[in-house]
Amino acid sequence: MDTTECTRLFPKPNLDPKHPETWKRHILRQLKYRDKAQKIAFQDVIRSYMNLRERCEQRALITQSLISPSRPFSSSEDLASLKTATGELAYKVVELQQEIKIKDAFLEKQHASLLETHNSLMAVELEKGGLQSDVKKMTDSNLLLKSKYDTLHERYQHLDEVYRKEKLHGSDILEDMIHLKEQAAARMNHRNERRLRARQAGLHKDLEMASSKSLNIDTVPKSVSLPSSPLLRRNERGENLESSRLRAFRSASVASPRILGSIKGLFDKKRRGNSVSSLEEDLYTPLGVCLVARVPTKVIQSVDAHELGINAVRFSPRSNLLATGGTDRVIKLWDIISGMLHYRGTLDGSNEGITSIEFDLTGSRIVAGSYDNSALIWQLDDSVPKFILTGHSRKVTAARFKCNLRQVVTGSGDRTVKIWDLQRAACIQTIEVLSYCSDIVCSDYYIISGHFDRKIRFWDSRASSCTQEVPLQGRVTSLDISPNHRQLLSCSRDDSLQLVDLRMSNTRMAFRAEGFKCGSDSTKAIFSPDGSYLAAGSADGGVYIWNISTGNLETRLPPMHRTSVNAVAWSMSGEYMVSVDKSRCANLWSDI
């Protein structure tokens, strides 16, 4: 105990000179204070000393008894106590020896374990040194690779910039070439028109001169030879044709409506023959119309069309050509011949899985959305994409041709819809659609988009403004428009199909069925080619078909799929239906 603590426990008393005994009490208290302070400081030493003294006395007594055993003990009690103490001590000695042996054995085990641990530690240290050297090598290798990557990345950026500049330059050159071709064609047409007008004027003048002259065949001398002309011919004997024909020709006036009409028709025909038909005249040729769609009843063929799951399927609008797109990054083409699927070819070029497929109206091109944030366009006779449209920041969920076929519309998970000009392969308009876009349909002037916020939005593509919103009960997974462009079909995650009348958007019909369940966020529902039925795949592997006129379920095709059905397609002839699922299976249905 230090002085500060003692002072706190025993404070100094106040000395009062009025009381003569105060100093005595003070001295007594100081002595007590010193005694307590010293005793507290040496209490452990005193206690140890007392214990040691007792042991020494006991040991001296035992030693004395062992050295002089002939000396009689003072009493029998001392002898008994000595025996007892000796026995106890001997027992304790034996116990201690046993404990020492046990401790020695345990200590030997500990030493062995320590040695083994030391050896293991040395091995671990060696391994650690090897790993550290490997880490150093890997670090150096990574730094080298990173430097190479940075160099390649800079080179890639430079080349990409050069590529973009060259692409823009090529587009400008192409536009200039097209402009020059148009000017050359205009000059050629102008020259042809001038040449035709000159020929027409010359022929008109010749006809006027011929009609103003009269010729008497009887008065023509034999020595005068008539000019060789289509208007005057000779027979094999050299004689002139009969006079009645020539008189009939001479009597015909150049202003005759029949002659002028024939000449005008001749020039109009030549002018039409030399003209080039417009793109719209070539594209908007009448398509085949399905009068009555046949509701399928059974599977006539089942194939594993892809290596992974199939996300999209679509028929060509002009034939029984089928396209399927899957997670394996390719589009496969199939011909349906005699009720069987025949593999035709593969379109590749996508870096990720295919999300949607659509043919153009001519059936010669395909546009597809991809998980790699792009849309790709192929010609059917070329397996390499003609255009790759990049600009979205998330996957492209839908890609559609506009009716003029010069533009493509894409919807994405980045909450935008983009309009692309195919002549320049560039985005010309971006529409912020406020929510994850799952599907789109479009025409020349409006775009309809379905979203995860349970709404269908109508957009005026000319003004990029939303003209109307249609709320639903679940997230929209797909949209489809009827063949007559009067009705809109939507499929949503509340396990229902909604039919919206585009002429009166407030008029809606809901289609449900017991057992039907929308299997994913990209499940596709479609119209039949005659617009009389609705078809959609279910999570239980079946295909459900509703009758639009009655609003009831027409049929439920048996569940021939092992997993959820992602999409269905109906041929334009109305004869076949194809359904695809997540387990790469494609089933061909018919009523035959």
Side-chain angles (χ1 to χ4, degrees), residues 284-340:
Y284 289 106
T285 54
L287 301 175
V289 178
C290 176
L291 300 178
V292 178
R294 290 150 54 174
V295 178
T297 57
K298 61 181 179 180
V299 172
I300 58 177
Q301 187 183 7
S302 180
V303 296
D304 288 337
H306 287 256
E307 296 180 358
L308 298 174
I310 307 175
N311 299 324
V313 59
R314 186 75 66 171
F315 272 100
S316 171
R318 292 180 177 273
S319 64
N320 283 338
L321 177 63
L322 180 73
T324 58
T327 313
D328 56 358
R329 307 179 182 182
V330 298
I331 293 176
K332 292 190 176 182
L333 303 177
W334 310 82
D335 285 317
I336 300 180
I337 303 174
S338 301
M340 299 293 289

Coordinates of all heavy atoms in Angstrom, one line a residue, residues 284-340:
Y284 N -45.0 -3.8 -101.2 CA -46.4 -4.0 -100.8 C -47.2 -4.8 -101.8 O -48.1 -4.3 -102.5 CB -47.1 -2.6 -100.6 CG -46.6 -1.9 -99.4 CD1 -45.7 -0.9 -99.4 CD2 -47.0 -2.4 -98.1 CE1 -45.3 -0.2 -98.3 CE2 -46.5 -1.8 -97.0 CZ -45.7 -0.7 -97.1 OH -45.2 -0.1 -95.9
T285 N -46.7 -6.0 -102.1 CA -47.5 -6.9 -103.0 C -48.4 -7.6 -102.1 O -48.2 -7.8 -100.9 CB -46.5 -7.9 -103.6 OG1 -45.7 -8.5 -102.6 CG2 -45.6 -7.1 -104.6
P286 N -49.6 -8.0 -102.6 CA -50.6 -8.7 -101.8 C -50.1 -10.0 -101.3 O -49.5 -10.8 -101.9 CB -51.8 -8.9 -102.8 CG -51.2 -8.7 -104.2 CD -50.0 -7.9 -104.1
L287 N -50.3 -10.2 -100.0 CA -50.0 -11.4 -99.3 C -51.1 -12.4 -99.3 O -52.3 -12.1 -99.5 CB -49.6 -11.1 -97.9 CG -48.4 -10.1 -97.6 CD1 -48.3 -9.9 -96.2 CD2 -47.1 -10.7 -98.2
G288 N -50.7 -13.7 -99.1 CA -51.8 -14.7 -99.0 C -52.6 -14.5 -97.7 O -52.1 -14.1 -96.7
V289 N -53.9 -14.6 -97.8 CA -54.8 -14.4 -96.7 C -55.3 -15.8 -96.3 O -55.8 -16.6 -97.1 CB -55.9 -13.5 -97.1 CG1 -56.9 -13.3 -95.9 CG2 -55.4 -12.1 -97.6
C290 N -55.2 -16.0 -95.0 CA -55.8 -17.2 -94.4 C -57.3 -17.0 -94.1 O -57.6 -16.1 -93.3 CB -55.0 -17.6 -93.1 SG -55.7 -19.1 -92.3
L291 N -58.1 -17.7 -94.8 CA -59.6 -17.5 -94.6 C -60.0 -18.2 -93.3 O -60.8 -17.6 -92.5 CB -60.3 -18.1 -95.8 CG -60.0 -17.5 -97.1 CD1 -60.8 -18.1 -98.2 CD2 -60.3 -16.0 -97.1
V292 N -59.6 -19.4 -93.0 CA -60.0 -20.2 -91.8 C -58.8 -20.9 -91.3 O -58.2 -21.7 -92.0 CB -61.1 -21.2 -92.1 CG1 -61.5 -21.9 -90.9 CG2 -62.4 -20.5 -92.7
A293 N -58.5 -20.6 -90.0 CA -57.4 -21.3 -89.4 C -57.9 -22.6 -88.8 O -59.0 -22.7 -88.2 CB -56.8 -20.4 -88.3
R294 N -57.1 -23.6 -88.9 CA -57.4 -25.0 -88.4 C -56.8 -25.1 -87.0 O -55.6 -25.0 -86.9 CB -57.0 -26.0 -89.4 CG -57.7 -26.0 -90.7 CD -56.9 -26.5 -91.8 NE -56.3 -27.8 -91.7 CZ -55.7 -28.5 -92.6 NH1 -55.6 -27.9 -93.8 NH2 -55.1 -29.7 -92.4
V295 N -57.7 -25.5 -86.1 CA -57.2 -25.6 -84.7 C -56.5 -27.0 -84.6 O -57.0 -28.0 -84.9 CB -58.4 -25.6 -83.7 CG1 -57.8 -25.8 -82.3 CG2 -59.1 -24.3 -83.8
P296 N -55.2 -27.0 -84.2 CA -54.4 -28.2 -84.2 C -54.9 -29.1 -83.0 O -55.5 -28.7 -82.0 CB -53.0 -27.8 -83.9 CG -53.1 -26.5 -83.3 CD -54.3 -25.8 -83.8
T297 N -54.7 -30.4 -83.2 CA -55.1 -31.4 -82.2 C -54.0 -32.3 -81.7 O -54.2 -32.9 -80.6 CB -56.3 -32.3 -82.8 OG1 -55.8 -32.9 -84.0 CG2 -57.5 -31.4 -83.1
K298 N -53.0 -32.5 -82.4 CA -51.9 -33.4 -82.0 C -50.6 -33.0 -82.5 O -50.5 -32.2 -83.5 CB -52.3 -34.8 -82.5 CG -52.4 -35.0 -84.0 CD -52.7 -36.4 -84.5 CE -52.8 -36.5 -86.0 NZ -53.1 -37.8 -86.4
V299 N -49.6 -33.6 -81.9 CA -48.2 -33.4 -82.3 C -47.8 -34.3 -83.4 O -48.0 -35.6 -83.3 CB -47.2 -33.5 -81.1 CG1 -45.8 -33.5 -81.6 CG2 -47.4 -32.4 -80.1
I300 N -47.4 -33.8 -84.6 CA -47.0 -34.7 -85.7 C -45.4 -34.9 -85.8 O -45.0 -35.7 -86.4 CB -47.5 -34.2 -87.0 CG1 -47.0 -32.8 -87.3 CG2 -49.0 -34.2 -87.0 CD1 -47.5 -32.2 -88.6
Q301 N -44.7 -34.0 -85.0 CA -43.2 -34.1 -85.0 C -42.7 -33.4 -83.8 O -43.2 -32.3 -83.5 CB -42.6 -33.6 -86.3 CG -41.1 -33.9 -86.3 CD -40.4 -33.4 -87.5 OE1 -41.0 -32.7 -88.3 NE2 -39.2 -33.7 -87.8
S302 N -41.7 -33.9 -83.1 CA -41.0 -33.3 -82.0 C -39.5 -33.4 -82.2 O -39.0 -34.5 -82.4 CB -41.5 -33.9 -80.7 OG -40.8 -33.3 -79.6
V303 N -38.8 -32.3 -82.2 CA -37.4 -32.3 -82.4 C -36.7 -31.4 -81.3 O -37.3 -30.5 -80.8 CB -37.0 -31.7 -83.8 CG1 -37.6 -32.6 -84.9 CG2 -37.5 -30.3 -83.9
D304 N -35.4 -31.8 -81.0 CA -34.6 -30.9 -80.2 C -33.9 -29.9 -81.1 O -32.9 -30.2 -81.7 CB -33.5 -31.8 -79.4 CG -34.2 -32.6 -78.3 OD1 -35.3 -32.2 -77.8 OD2 -33.6 -33.6 -77.9
A305 N -34.5 -28.8 -81.3 CA -34.1 -27.8 -82.3 C -32.8 -27.1 -82.0 O -32.1 -26.7 -82.9 CB -35.2 -26.8 -82.6
H306 N -32.5 -26.9 -80.7 CA -31.3 -26.2 -80.3 C -30.5 -26.9 -79.3 O -31.0 -27.9 -78.7 CB -31.7 -24.8 -79.8 CG -32.1 -23.9 -80.9 ND1 -31.4 -22.8 -81.4 CD2 -33.3 -23.8 -81.6 CE1 -32.0 -22.2 -82.3 NE2 -33.2 -22.7 -82.4
E307 N -29.3 -26.4 -79.0 CA -28.5 -27.0 -77.9 C -29.0 -26.6 -76.5 O -28.7 -27.3 -75.5 CB -27.1 -26.7 -78.1 CG -26.5 -27.2 -79.4 CD -25.0 -26.8 -79.6 OE1 -24.5 -26.1 -78.7 OE2 -24.4 -27.3 -80.6
L308 N -29.6 -25.4 -76.4 CA -30.1 -24.9 -75.2 C -31.6 -24.5 -75.4 O -32.2 -24.8 -76.4 CB -29.2 -23.7 -74.7 CG -27.8 -24.0 -74.4 CD1 -27.0 -22.7 -74.1 CD2 -27.6 -25.0 -73.3
G309 N -32.1 -23.8 -74.4 CA -33.5 -23.4 -74.4 C -33.9 -22.5 -75.6 O -33.0 -21.8 -76.1
I310 N -35.1 -22.6 -76.1 CA -35.6 -21.8 -77.2 C -36.5 -20.7 -76.7 O -37.4 -21.0 -75.9 CB -36.4 -22.7 -78.2 CG1 -35.5 -23.9 -78.6 CG2 -36.7 -21.9 -79.4 CD1 -36.3 -24.9 -79.5
N311 N -36.2 -19.5 -77.1 CA -36.9 -18.3 -76.6 C -37.9 -17.7 -77.5 O -38.8 -17.1 -77.1 CB -35.9 -17.2 -76.2 CG -34.9 -17.6 -75.1 OD1 -35.2 -18.4 -74.2 ND2 -33.7 -17.2 -75.2
A312 N -37.7 -18.0 -78.8 CA -38.6 -17.3 -79.8 C -38.8 -18.2 -81.0 O -37.9 -19.0 -81.4 CB -38.0 -16.0 -80.3
V313 N -40.0 -18.1 -81.7 CA -40.3 -18.8 -82.9 C -41.2 -18.0 -83.7 O -42.0 -17.2 -83.2 CB -41.0 -20.2 -82.5 CG1 -42.2 -20.0 -81.7 CG2 -41.2 -21.0 -83.8
R314 N -41.0 -18.0 -85.1 CA -41.8 -17.2 -86.0 C -41.9 -17.8 -87.3 O -40.9 -18.4 -87.8 CB -41.2 -15.8 -86.1 CG -42.0 -14.8 -86.9 CD -43.2 -14.3 -86.1 NE -42.8 -13.5 -84.9 CZ -43.6 -12.8 -84.2 NH1 -44.9 -12.8 -84.5 NH2 -43.2 -12.1 -83.2
F315 N -43.1 -17.8 -88.0 CA -43.3 -18.2 -89.4 C -43.0 -17.0 -90.3 O -43.4 -15.9 -90.0 CB -44.7 -18.7 -89.6 CG -44.8 -20.2 -89.2 CD1 -45.3 -20.6 -88.0 CD2 -44.4 -21.2 -90.1 CE1 -45.5 -22.0 -87.7 CE2 -44.5 -22.5 -89.9 CZ -45.1 -22.9 -88.6
S316 N -42.5 -17.3 -91.5 CA -42.4 -16.3 -92.6 C -43.8 -16.0 -93.0 O -44.7 -16.9 -93.1 CB -41.6 -16.9 -93.7 OG -41.6 -16.0 -94.8
P317 N -44.1 -14.7 -93.4 CA -45.4 -14.3 -93.8 C -45.8 -14.9 -95.2 O -47.0 -14.7 -95.6 CB -45.4 -12.8 -93.8 CG -44.0 -12.5 -94.0 CD -43.2 -13.6 -93.3
R318 N -44.9 -15.4 -96.0 CA -45.1 -15.8 -97.4 C -45.0 -17.3 -97.6 O -45.3 -17.8 -98.7 CB -44.2 -15.1 -98.3 CG -44.4 -13.6 -98.4 CD -43.5 -13.0 -99.4 NE -43.7 -11.6 -99.5 CZ -44.6 -11.0 -100.4 NH1 -45.3 -11.8 -101.1 NH2 -44.8 -9.7 -100.4
S319 N -44.6 -18.1 -96.6 CA -44.4 -19.5 -96.8 C -44.4 -20.2 -95.5 O -44.7 -19.6 -94.4 CB -43.0 -19.7 -97.5 OG -42.0 -19.3 -96.7
N320 N -44.1 -21.5 -95.6 CA -44.0 -22.3 -94.4 C -42.6 -22.4 -93.8 O -42.2 -23.4 -93.2 CB -44.5 -23.8 -94.6 CG -46.1 -23.8 -94.7 OD1 -46.7 -23.0 -94.1 ND2 -46.6 -24.8 -95.3
L321 N -41.8 -21.4 -94.1 CA -40.5 -21.3 -93.5 C -40.6 -20.8 -92.0 O -41.3 -19.9 -91.7 CB -39.7 -20.2 -94.3 CG -38.3 -20.0 -93.8 CD1 -37.4 -21.2 -93.8 CD2 -37.6 -18.8 -94.5
L322 N -39.9 -21.6 -91.2 CA -39.9 -21.3 -89.7 C -38.5 -20.9 -89.2 O -37.5 -21.5 -89.7 CB -40.4 -22.6 -89.0 CG -40.5 -22.6 -87.5 CD1 -41.7 -21.8 -87.1 CD2 -40.6 -24.0 -86.9
A323 N -38.5 -20.0 -88.3 CA -37.3 -19.6 -87.6 C -37.4 -19.7 -86.1 O -38.4 -19.4 -85.6 CB -37.0 -18.1 -88.0
T324 N -36.4 -20.3 -85.5 CA -36.3 -20.5 -84.0 C -35.0 -19.9 -83.5 O -34.0 -20.0 -84.1 CB -36.4 -22.0 -83.7 OG1 -35.3 -22.7 -84.3 CG2 -37.7 -22.6 -84.1
G325 N -35.2 -19.2 -82.4 CA -34.0 -18.6 -81.8 C -33.9 -19.0 -80.3 O -34.9 -19.1 -79.6
G326 N -32.6 -19.3 -79.9 CA -32.4 -19.8 -78.6 C -31.3 -19.2 -77.8 O -30.7 -18.3 -78.3
T327 N -31.1 -19.8 -76.6 CA -30.1 -19.3 -75.7 C -28.7 -19.7 -76.3 O -27.7 -19.2 -75.8 CB -30.3 -19.9 -74.3 OG1 -31.6 -19.7 -74.0 CG2 -29.4 -19.2 -73.3
D328 N -28.6 -20.6 -77.3 CA -27.3 -21.0 -77.8 C -26.8 -20.0 -78.9 O -25.9 -20.3 -79.7 CB -27.4 -22.4 -78.4 CG -28.5 -22.5 -79.5 OD1 -29.2 -21.5 -79.7 OD2 -28.7 -23.5 -80.1
R329 N -27.4 -18.8 -79.0 CA -26.9 -17.7 -79.7 C -27.1 -17.7 -81.2 O -26.5 -17.0 -82.0 CB -25.4 -17.5 -79.5 CG -25.0 -17.3 -78.0 CD -23.5 -17.2 -77.9 NE -23.1 -17.1 -76.5 CZ -21.8 -17.0 -76.1 NH1 -20.8 -16.9 -77.0 NH2 -21.5 -17.0 -74.8
V330 N -27.9 -18.7 -81.7 CA -28.1 -18.8 -83.1 C -29.6 -18.8 -83.5 O -30.5 -19.1 -82.6 CB -27.5 -20.1 -83.7 CG1 -26.0 -20.1 -83.5 CG2 -28.1 -21.3 -83.1
I331 N -29.9 -18.5 -84.7 CA -31.3 -18.7 -85.3 C -31.2 -19.8 -86.3 O -30.3 -19.8 -87.2 CB -31.7 -17.4 -85.9 CG1 -31.9 -16.3 -84.9 CG2 -33.1 -17.6 -86.7 CD1 -32.3 -15.0 -85.5
K332 N -32.1 -20.8 -86.2 CA -32.2 -21.9 -87.1 C -33.4 -21.8 -88.0 O -34.5 -21.4 -87.5 CB -32.2 -23.2 -86.4 CG -30.8 -23.5 -85.7 CD -30.7 -24.9 -85.2 CE -29.4 -25.2 -84.6 NZ -29.2 -26.6 -84.1
L333 N -33.3 -22.1 -89.3 CA -34.3 -22.0 -90.2 C -34.8 -23.4 -90.6 O -34.0 -24.3 -90.8 CB -33.9 -21.3 -91.5 CG -33.3 -19.9 -91.3 CD1 -32.8 -19.3 -92.6 CD2 -34.4 -19.0 -90.7
W334 N -36.1 -23.6 -90.7 CA -36.7 -24.9 -91.0 C -37.8 -24.8 -92.0 O -38.6 -23.8 -92.0 CB -37.4 -25.5 -89.7 CG -36.5 -25.5 -88.5 CD1 -36.3 -24.4 -87.7 CD2 -35.7 -26.6 -88.0 NE1 -35.4 -24.8 -86.6 CE2 -35.1 -26.1 -86.8 CE3 -35.5 -27.9 -88.4 CZ2 -34.2 -26.9 -86.1 CZ3 -34.7 -28.7 -87.6 CH2 -34.0 -28.2 -86.5
D335 N -37.8 -25.7 -93.0 CA -38.9 -25.8 -94.0 C -39.9 -26.9 -93.5 O -39.4 -28.0 -93.1 CB -38.3 -26.1 -95.3 CG -37.7 -24.9 -96.0 OD1 -38.2 -23.8 -95.9 OD2 -36.6 -25.1 -96.6
I336 N -41.1 -26.6 -93.6 CA -42.2 -27.6 -93.4 C -42.6 -28.2 -94.7 O -43.3 -27.6 -95.5 CB -43.3 -27.0 -92.6 CG1 -42.9 -26.4 -91.3 CG2 -44.4 -28.1 -92.3 CD1 -44.0 -25.8 -90.4
I337 N -42.2 -29.4 -94.9 CA -42.5 -30.1 -96.2 C -43.2 -31.5 -95.8 O -42.6 -32.3 -95.0 CB -41.3 -30.4 -97.0 CG1 -40.5 -29.1 -97.3 CG2 -41.6 -31.2 -98.3 CD1 -39.2 -29.3 -98.0
S338 N -44.4 -31.6 -96.3 CA -45.2 -32.9 -96.1 C -45.4 -33.1 -94.6 O -45.3 -34.3 -94.1 CB -44.5 -34.1 -96.8 OG -44.4 -33.9 -98.1
G339 N -45.6 -32.1 -93.8 CA -45.9 -32.2 -92.4 C -44.6 -32.6 -91.6 O -44.8 -33.1 -90.5
M340 N -43.4 -32.3 -92.1 CA -42.2 -32.6 -91.3 C -41.3 -31.3 -91.4 O -41.3 -30.6 -92.3 CB -41.5 -33.8 -91.9 CG -42.3 -35.1 -91.9 SD -42.5 -35.7 -90.3 CE -40.8 -36.2 -89.9

